[in-house]
mmCIF file of all heavy atoms in Angstrom:
data_model
loop_
_atom_site.group_PDB
_atom_site.id
_atom_site.type_symbol
_atom_site.label_atom_id
_atom_site.label_comp_id
_atom_site.label_asym_id
_atom_site.label_seq_id
_atom_site.Cartn_x
_atom_site.Cartn_y
_atom_site.Cartn_z
ATOM 1 N N ARG J 1 -18.027 -5.270 16.303
ATOM 2 C CA ARG J 1 -18.126 -3.815 16.216
ATOM 3 C C ARG J 1 -17.211 -3.273 15.117
ATOM 4 O O ARG J 1 -17.611 -2.418 14.314
ATOM 5 C CB ARG J 1 -17.765 -3.200 17.565
ATOM 6 C CG ARG J 1 -17.969 -1.684 17.620
ATOM 7 C CD ARG J 1 -17.453 -1.138 18.921
ATOM 8 N NE ARG J 1 -18.218 -1.634 20.042
ATOM 9 C CZ ARG J 1 -17.768 -1.686 21.288
ATOM 10 N NH1 ARG J 1 -16.546 -1.294 21.564
ATOM 11 N NH2 ARG J 1 -18.525 -2.142 22.260
ATOM 12 N N GLY J 2 -15.988 -3.788 15.041
ATOM 13 C CA GLY J 2 -15.059 -3.336 14.008
ATOM 14 C C GLY J 2 -15.515 -3.720 12.612
ATOM 15 O O GLY J 2 -15.418 -2.916 11.667
ATOM 16 N N ALA J 3 -16.053 -4.937 12.465
ATOM 17 C CA ALA J 3 -16.494 -5.401 11.148
ATOM 18 C C ALA J 3 -17.658 -4.565 10.634
ATOM 19 O O ALA J 3 -17.680 -4.151 9.462
ATOM 20 C CB ALA J 3 -16.886 -6.874 11.232
ATOM 21 N N LEU J 4 -18.643 -4.305 11.501
ATOM 22 C CA LEU J 4 -19.815 -3.546 11.053
ATOM 23 C C LEU J 4 -19.483 -2.065 10.857
ATOM 24 O O LEU J 4 -20.109 -1.395 10.037
ATOM 25 C CB LEU J 4 -20.965 -3.722 12.047
ATOM 26 C CG LEU J 4 -21.566 -5.140 12.067
ATOM 27 C CD1 LEU J 4 -22.741 -5.214 13.026
ATOM 28 C CD2 LEU J 4 -22.008 -5.569 10.675
ATOM 29 N N THR J 5 -18.515 -1.543 11.602
ATOM 30 C CA THR J 5 -18.069 -0.171 11.353
ATOM 31 C C THR J 5 -17.398 -0.080 9.986
ATOM 32 O O THR J 5 -17.645 0.867 9.216
ATOM 33 C CB THR J 5 -17.090 0.280 12.449
ATOM 34 O OG1 THR J 5 -17.734 0.208 13.727
ATOM 35 C CG2 THR J 5 -16.627 1.706 12.214
ATOM 36 N N THR J 6 -16.564 -1.054 9.681
ATOM 37 C CA THR J 6 -15.915 -1.099 8.366
ATOM 38 C C THR J 6 -16.958 -1.184 7.258
ATOM 39 O O THR J 6 -16.881 -0.469 6.246
ATOM 40 C CB THR J 6 -14.965 -2.311 8.288
ATOM 41 O OG1 THR J 6 -14.004 -2.223 9.335
ATOM 42 C CG2 THR J 6 -14.246 -2.360 6.944
ATOM 43 N N PHE J 7 -17.944 -2.054 7.441
ATOM 44 C CA PHE J 7 -19.004 -2.214 6.436
ATOM 45 C C PHE J 7 -19.780 -0.915 6.265
ATOM 46 O O PHE J 7 -20.095 -0.497 5.149
ATOM 47 C CB PHE J 7 -19.956 -3.338 6.855
ATOM 48 C CG PHE J 7 -21.044 -3.625 5.864
ATOM 49 C CD1 PHE J 7 -20.866 -4.578 4.879
ATOM 50 C CD2 PHE J 7 -22.254 -2.931 5.903
ATOM 51 C CE1 PHE J 7 -21.873 -4.840 3.950
ATOM 52 C CE2 PHE J 7 -23.253 -3.179 4.991
ATOM 53 C CZ PHE J 7 -23.061 -4.142 4.006
ATOM 54 N N SER J 8 -20.090 -0.254 7.389
ATOM 55 C CA SER J 8 -20.899 0.965 7.335
ATOM 56 C C SER J 8 -20.191 2.071 6.557
ATOM 57 O O SER J 8 -20.792 2.736 5.704
ATOM 58 C CB SER J 8 -21.217 1.434 8.758
ATOM 59 O OG SER J 8 -21.956 2.628 8.753
ATOM 60 N N ILE J 9 -18.910 2.283 6.844
ATOM 61 C CA ILE J 9 -18.168 3.352 6.158
ATOM 62 C C ILE J 9 -18.018 3.031 4.673
ATOM 63 O O ILE J 9 -18.203 3.898 3.803
ATOM 64 C CB ILE J 9 -16.799 3.552 6.832
ATOM 65 C CG1 ILE J 9 -17.002 4.079 8.267
ATOM 66 C CG2 ILE J 9 -15.933 4.508 6.038
ATOM 67 C CD1 ILE J 9 -15.741 4.173 9.080
ATOM 68 N N ALA J 10 -17.679 1.753 4.365
ATOM 69 C CA ALA J 10 -17.563 1.354 2.960
ATOM 70 C C ALA J 10 -18.916 1.460 2.254
ATOM 71 O O ALA J 10 -18.992 1.839 1.076
ATOM 72 C CB ALA J 10 -17.032 -0.074 2.876
ATOM 73 N N ASN J 11 -19.962 1.160 2.973
ATOM 74 C CA ASN J 11 -21.322 1.237 2.458
ATOM 75 C C ASN J 11 -21.664 2.673 2.039
ATOM 76 O O ASN J 11 -22.270 2.911 0.986
ATOM 77 C CB ASN J 11 -22.259 0.750 3.570
ATOM 78 C CG ASN J 11 -23.691 0.610 3.137
ATOM 79 O OD1 ASN J 11 -23.978 -0.072 2.169
ATOM 80 N ND2 ASN J 11 -24.585 1.241 3.865
ATOM 81 N N ASP J 12 -21.242 3.646 2.859
ATOM 82 C CA ASP J 12 -21.518 5.052 2.556
ATOM 83 C C ASP J 12 -20.768 5.508 1.304
ATOM 84 O O ASP J 12 -21.292 6.287 0.503
ATOM 85 C CB ASP J 12 -21.118 5.930 3.749
ATOM 86 C CG ASP J 12 -22.004 5.683 4.964
ATOM 87 O OD1 ASP J 12 -23.138 5.223 4.770
ATOM 88 O OD2 ASP J 12 -21.543 5.935 6.093
ATOM 89 N N VAL J 13 -19.542 5.021 1.141
ATOM 90 C CA VAL J 13 -18.764 5.397 -0.042
ATOM 91 C C VAL J 13 -19.502 5.007 -1.313
ATOM 92 O O VAL J 13 -19.573 5.778 -2.282
ATOM 93 C CB VAL J 13 -17.367 4.727 0.002
ATOM 94 C CG1 VAL J 13 -16.627 4.937 -1.314
ATOM 95 C CG2 VAL J 13 -16.551 5.271 1.165
ATOM 96 N N ALA J 14 -20.070 3.804 -1.336
ATOM 97 C CA ALA J 14 -20.766 3.331 -2.528
ATOM 98 C C ALA J 14 -22.017 4.156 -2.815
ATOM 99 O O ALA J 14 -22.368 4.384 -3.982
ATOM 100 C CB ALA J 14 -21.133 1.861 -2.355
ATOM 101 N N LYS J 15 -22.680 4.633 -1.742
ATOM 102 C CA LYS J 15 -23.921 5.396 -1.961
ATOM 103 C C LYS J 15 -23.651 6.764 -2.586
ATOM 104 O O LYS J 15 -24.531 7.357 -3.205
ATOM 105 C CB LYS J 15 -24.676 5.548 -0.634
ATOM 106 C CG LYS J 15 -25.395 4.269 -0.211
ATOM 107 C CD LYS J 15 -26.147 4.419 1.091
ATOM 108 C CE LYS J 15 -25.222 4.448 2.279
ATOM 109 N NZ LYS J 15 -25.918 4.388 3.568
ATOM 110 N N TYR J 16 -22.405 7.258 -2.438
ATOM 111 C CA TYR J 16 -22.082 8.532 -3.085
ATOM 112 C C TYR J 16 -22.277 8.424 -4.596
ATOM 113 O O TYR J 16 -22.727 9.368 -5.252
ATOM 114 C CB TYR J 16 -20.626 8.936 -2.820
ATOM 115 C CG TYR J 16 -20.233 9.054 -1.369
ATOM 116 C CD1 TYR J 16 -18.899 9.046 -0.989
ATOM 117 C CD2 TYR J 16 -21.194 9.174 -0.370
ATOM 118 C CE1 TYR J 16 -18.514 9.154 0.340
ATOM 119 C CE2 TYR J 16 -20.821 9.284 0.960
ATOM 120 C CZ TYR J 16 -19.482 9.266 1.311
ATOM 121 O OH TYR J 16 -19.116 9.374 2.627
ATOM 122 N N PHE J 17 -21.912 7.264 -5.151
ATOM 123 C CA PHE J 17 -21.991 7.081 -6.596
ATOM 124 C C PHE J 17 -23.434 7.007 -7.079
ATOM 125 O O PHE J 17 -23.690 7.112 -8.275
ATOM 126 C CB PHE J 17 -21.252 5.801 -7.006
ATOM 127 C CG PHE J 17 -19.766 5.913 -6.914
ATOM 128 C CD1 PHE J 17 -19.104 5.585 -5.735
ATOM 129 C CD2 PHE J 17 -19.014 6.361 -7.982
ATOM 130 C CE1 PHE J 17 -17.728 5.691 -5.638
ATOM 131 C CE2 PHE J 17 -17.629 6.471 -7.895
ATOM 132 C CZ PHE J 17 -16.988 6.134 -6.716
ATOM 133 N N ALA J 18 -24.379 6.831 -6.162
ATOM 134 C CA ALA J 18 -25.783 6.809 -6.553
ATOM 135 C C ALA J 18 -26.394 8.204 -6.488
ATOM 136 O O ALA J 18 -27.114 8.629 -7.393
ATOM 137 C CB ALA J 18 -26.562 5.856 -5.646
ATOM 138 N N ILE J 19 -26.087 8.938 -5.415
ATOM 139 C CA ILE J 19 -26.779 10.210 -5.186
ATOM 140 C C ILE J 19 -26.073 11.396 -5.846
ATOM 141 O O ILE J 19 -26.722 12.239 -6.469
ATOM 142 C CB ILE J 19 -26.935 10.449 -3.664
ATOM 143 C CG1 ILE J 19 -27.945 9.452 -3.106
ATOM 144 C CG2 ILE J 19 -27.378 11.861 -3.377
ATOM 145 C CD1 ILE J 19 -28.384 9.720 -1.707
ATOM 146 N N ILE J 20 -24.746 11.509 -5.705
ATOM 147 C CA ILE J 20 -24.034 12.681 -6.226
ATOM 148 C C ILE J 20 -24.273 12.875 -7.727
ATOM 149 O O ILE J 20 -24.638 13.985 -8.169
ATOM 150 C CB ILE J 20 -22.526 12.599 -5.910
ATOM 151 C CG1 ILE J 20 -22.300 12.558 -4.390
ATOM 152 C CG2 ILE J 20 -21.775 13.761 -6.539
ATOM 153 C CD1 ILE J 20 -22.740 13.795 -3.661
ATOM 154 N N PRO J 21 -24.097 11.840 -8.570
ATOM 155 C CA PRO J 21 -24.378 12.046 -10.008
ATOM 156 C C PRO J 21 -25.833 12.421 -10.261
ATOM 157 O O PRO J 21 -26.137 13.247 -11.124
ATOM 158 C CB PRO J 21 -24.040 10.690 -10.638
ATOM 159 C CG PRO J 21 -23.121 10.043 -9.675
ATOM 160 C CD PRO J 21 -23.572 10.492 -8.326
ATOM 161 N N ALA J 22 -26.752 11.828 -9.505
ATOM 162 C CA ALA J 22 -28.170 12.113 -9.703
ATOM 163 C C ALA J 22 -28.486 13.568 -9.374
ATOM 164 O O ALA J 22 -29.328 14.203 -10.019
ATOM 165 C CB ALA J 22 -29.017 11.186 -8.828
ATOM 166 N N MET J 23 -27.805 14.130 -8.382
ATOM 167 C CA MET J 23 -28.090 15.494 -7.961
ATOM 168 C C MET J 23 -27.464 16.540 -8.883
ATOM 169 O O MET J 23 -28.071 17.568 -9.182
ATOM 170 C CB MET J 23 -27.580 15.722 -6.528
ATOM 171 C CG MET J 23 -28.390 15.021 -5.453
ATOM 172 S SD MET J 23 -27.718 15.338 -3.816
ATOM 173 C CE MET J 23 -27.825 17.110 -3.733
ATOM 174 N N PHE J 24 -26.241 16.277 -9.351
ATOM 175 C CA PHE J 24 -25.489 17.346 -10.001
ATOM 176 C C PHE J 24 -25.103 17.081 -11.458
ATOM 177 O O PHE J 24 -24.451 17.908 -12.078
ATOM 178 C CB PHE J 24 -24.206 17.631 -9.193
ATOM 179 C CG PHE J 24 -24.479 18.190 -7.826
ATOM 180 C CD1 PHE J 24 -24.365 17.390 -6.702
ATOM 181 C CD2 PHE J 24 -24.871 19.512 -7.669
ATOM 182 C CE1 PHE J 24 -24.622 17.897 -5.443
ATOM 183 C CE2 PHE J 24 -25.121 20.027 -6.414
ATOM 184 C CZ PHE J 24 -25.002 19.227 -5.290
ATOM 185 N N ALA J 25 -25.496 15.923 -11.988
ATOM 186 C CA ALA J 25 -25.134 15.653 -13.390
ATOM 187 C C ALA J 25 -25.772 16.656 -14.330
ATOM 188 O O ALA J 25 -25.204 17.010 -15.375
ATOM 189 C CB ALA J 25 -25.539 14.230 -13.765
ATOM 190 N N GLY J 26 -26.979 17.152 -13.952
ATOM 191 C CA GLY J 26 -27.638 18.151 -14.796
ATOM 192 C C GLY J 26 -26.917 19.480 -14.773
ATOM 193 O O GLY J 26 -26.953 20.244 -15.745
ATOM 194 N N ILE J 27 -26.244 19.792 -13.667
ATOM 195 C CA ILE J 27 -25.510 21.057 -13.542
ATOM 196 C C ILE J 27 -24.102 20.910 -14.107
ATOM 197 O O ILE J 27 -23.622 21.768 -14.840
ATOM 198 C CB ILE J 27 -25.440 21.479 -12.052
ATOM 199 C CG1 ILE J 27 -26.831 21.518 -11.436
ATOM 200 C CG2 ILE J 27 -24.755 22.819 -11.911
ATOM 201 C CD1 ILE J 27 -26.832 21.735 -9.947
ATOM 202 N N PHE J 28 -23.469 19.788 -13.716
ATOM 203 C CA PHE J 28 -22.113 19.525 -14.171
ATOM 204 C C PHE J 28 -22.115 18.209 -14.964
ATOM 205 O O PHE J 28 -21.975 17.131 -14.371
ATOM 206 C CB PHE J 28 -21.148 19.417 -12.983
ATOM 207 C CG PHE J 28 -21.184 20.621 -12.075
ATOM 208 C CD1 PHE J 28 -21.789 20.554 -10.824
ATOM 209 C CD2 PHE J 28 -20.610 21.818 -12.479
ATOM 210 C CE1 PHE J 28 -21.821 21.658 -9.988
ATOM 211 C CE2 PHE J 28 -20.640 22.934 -11.642
ATOM 212 C CZ PHE J 28 -21.250 22.865 -10.400
ATOM 213 N N PRO J 29 -22.301 18.265 -16.253
ATOM 214 C CA PRO J 29 -22.408 17.042 -17.069
ATOM 215 C C PRO J 29 -21.217 16.100 -16.901
ATOM 216 O O PRO J 29 -21.354 14.892 -17.094
ATOM 217 C CB PRO J 29 -22.482 17.591 -18.501
ATOM 218 C CG PRO J 29 -23.028 18.970 -18.344
ATOM 219 C CD PRO J 29 -22.473 19.488 -17.061
ATOM 220 N N GLY J 30 -20.081 16.628 -16.538
ATOM 221 C CA GLY J 30 -18.909 15.777 -16.364
ATOM 222 C C GLY J 30 -19.084 14.726 -15.279
ATOM 223 O O GLY J 30 -18.414 13.687 -15.287
ATOM 224 N N LEU J 31 -20.020 14.978 -14.319
ATOM 225 C CA LEU J 31 -20.269 14.017 -13.244
ATOM 226 C C LEU J 31 -21.005 12.773 -13.737
ATOM 227 O O LEU J 31 -21.116 11.791 -13.004
ATOM 228 C CB LEU J 31 -21.084 14.675 -12.117
ATOM 229 C CG LEU J 31 -20.351 15.733 -11.280
ATOM 230 C CD1 LEU J 31 -21.296 16.348 -10.260
ATOM 231 C CD2 LEU J 31 -19.153 15.121 -10.573
ATOM 232 N N GLN J 32 -21.514 12.831 -14.968
ATOM 233 C CA GLN J 32 -22.255 11.693 -15.498
ATOM 234 C C GLN J 32 -21.369 10.439 -15.558
ATOM 235 O O GLN J 32 -21.857 9.316 -15.482
ATOM 236 C CB GLN J 32 -22.793 12.015 -16.902
ATOM 237 C CG GLN J 32 -23.784 10.987 -17.447
ATOM 238 C CD GLN J 32 -25.041 10.869 -16.587
ATOM 239 O OE1 GLN J 32 -25.548 11.862 -16.077
ATOM 240 N NE2 GLN J 32 -25.522 9.653 -16.408
ATOM 241 N N VAL J 33 -20.068 10.650 -15.667
ATOM 242 C CA VAL J 33 -19.153 9.510 -15.724
ATOM 243 C C VAL J 33 -19.175 8.700 -14.427
ATOM 244 O O VAL J 33 -18.825 7.515 -14.402
ATOM 245 C CB VAL J 33 -17.720 9.998 -16.031
ATOM 246 C CG1 VAL J 33 -17.135 10.729 -14.826
ATOM 247 C CG2 VAL J 33 -16.821 8.824 -16.436
ATOM 248 N N LEU J 34 -19.594 9.359 -13.307
ATOM 249 C CA LEU J 34 -19.685 8.653 -12.027
ATOM 250 C C LEU J 34 -20.960 7.824 -11.904
ATOM 251 O O LEU J 34 -21.078 7.020 -10.981
ATOM 252 C CB LEU J 34 -19.626 9.655 -10.867
ATOM 253 C CG LEU J 34 -18.332 10.469 -10.736
ATOM 254 C CD1 LEU J 34 -18.454 11.441 -9.571
ATOM 255 C CD2 LEU J 34 -17.135 9.549 -10.540
ATOM 256 N N ASN J 35 -21.895 8.024 -12.813
ATOM 257 C CA ASN J 35 -23.164 7.296 -12.752
ATOM 258 C C ASN J 35 -22.959 5.892 -13.313
ATOM 259 O O ASN J 35 -23.575 5.499 -14.312
ATOM 260 C CB ASN J 35 -24.239 8.050 -13.534
ATOM 261 C CG ASN J 35 -25.631 7.448 -13.309
ATOM 262 O OD1 ASN J 35 -25.845 6.696 -12.354
ATOM 263 N ND2 ASN J 35 -26.555 7.770 -14.196
ATOM 264 N N ILE J 36 -22.078 5.147 -12.688
ATOM 265 C CA ILE J 36 -21.713 3.827 -13.215
ATOM 266 C C ILE J 36 -22.837 2.805 -13.072
ATOM 267 O O ILE J 36 -22.814 1.771 -13.717
ATOM 268 C CB ILE J 36 -20.438 3.303 -12.520
ATOM 269 C CG1 ILE J 36 -20.644 3.229 -11.007
ATOM 270 C CG2 ILE J 36 -19.251 4.177 -12.877
ATOM 271 C CD1 ILE J 36 -19.439 2.703 -10.261
ATOM 272 N N MET J 37 -23.830 3.080 -12.189
ATOM 273 C CA MET J 37 -24.955 2.146 -12.054
ATOM 274 C C MET J 37 -26.032 2.380 -13.105
ATOM 275 O O MET J 37 -26.923 1.557 -13.245
ATOM 276 C CB MET J 37 -25.562 2.273 -10.644
ATOM 277 C CG MET J 37 -24.726 1.604 -9.567
ATOM 278 S SD MET J 37 -25.537 1.606 -7.949
ATOM 279 C CE MET J 37 -25.082 3.213 -7.354
ATOM 280 N N GLN J 38 -25.934 3.523 -13.821
ATOM 281 C CA GLN J 38 -26.923 3.857 -14.855
ATOM 282 C C GLN J 38 -28.346 3.759 -14.292
ATOM 283 O O GLN J 38 -29.206 3.057 -14.810
ATOM 284 C CB GLN J 38 -26.770 2.924 -16.061
ATOM 285 C CG GLN J 38 -25.450 3.067 -16.805
ATOM 286 C CD GLN J 38 -25.252 4.475 -17.382
ATOM 287 O OE1 GLN J 38 -26.116 4.975 -18.113
ATOM 288 N NE2 GLN J 38 -24.132 5.096 -17.049
ATOM 289 N N LEU J 39 -28.576 4.504 -13.219
ATOM 290 C CA LEU J 39 -29.884 4.490 -12.581
ATOM 291 C C LEU J 39 -30.901 5.216 -13.440
ATOM 292 O O LEU J 39 -30.568 6.058 -14.276
ATOM 293 C CB LEU J 39 -29.786 5.126 -11.189
ATOM 294 C CG LEU J 39 -28.787 4.421 -10.235
ATOM 295 C CD1 LEU J 39 -28.726 5.136 -8.907
ATOM 296 C CD2 LEU J 39 -29.152 2.958 -10.040
ATOM 297 N N HIS J 40 -32.176 4.879 -13.215
ATOM 298 C CA HIS J 40 -33.242 5.292 -14.128
ATOM 299 C C HIS J 40 -33.407 6.798 -14.196
ATOM 300 O O HIS J 40 -33.566 7.384 -15.274
ATOM 301 C CB HIS J 40 -34.551 4.628 -13.702
ATOM 302 C CG HIS J 40 -35.699 4.905 -14.609
ATOM 303 N ND1 HIS J 40 -36.630 5.899 -14.367
ATOM 304 C CD2 HIS J 40 -36.057 4.336 -15.785
ATOM 305 C CE1 HIS J 40 -37.523 5.907 -15.340
ATOM 306 N NE2 HIS J 40 -37.211 4.964 -16.213
#
C-alpha cells in the first residue's frame, strides 16, 4: 500500500509536465520551458 501510494503521487507530479505546458504555453510562453518532453 505504501509503495503504490508513493508511486501514484510521484506519477501525478510527472503528468503535470505534460498537461500544464500544453494548456497554458500559448497564454504564457514562459511555460514552454516546462515542456521538456517536447510533445507533438
Side-chain angles (χ1 to χ4, degrees):
R1 186 186 295 157
L4 291 183
T5 301
T6 302
F7 183 92
S8 178
I9 294 174
N11 187 55
D12 293 336
V13 171
K15 284 180 286 189
Y16 303 162
F17 288 90
I19 290 191
I20 299 296
M23 288 180 59
F24 294 104
I27 306 172
F28 305 106
L31 290 177
Q32 190 62 38
V33 71
L34 297 178
N35 189 17
I36 58 179
M37 284 186 276
Q38 295 299 306
L39 301 178
H40 184 263

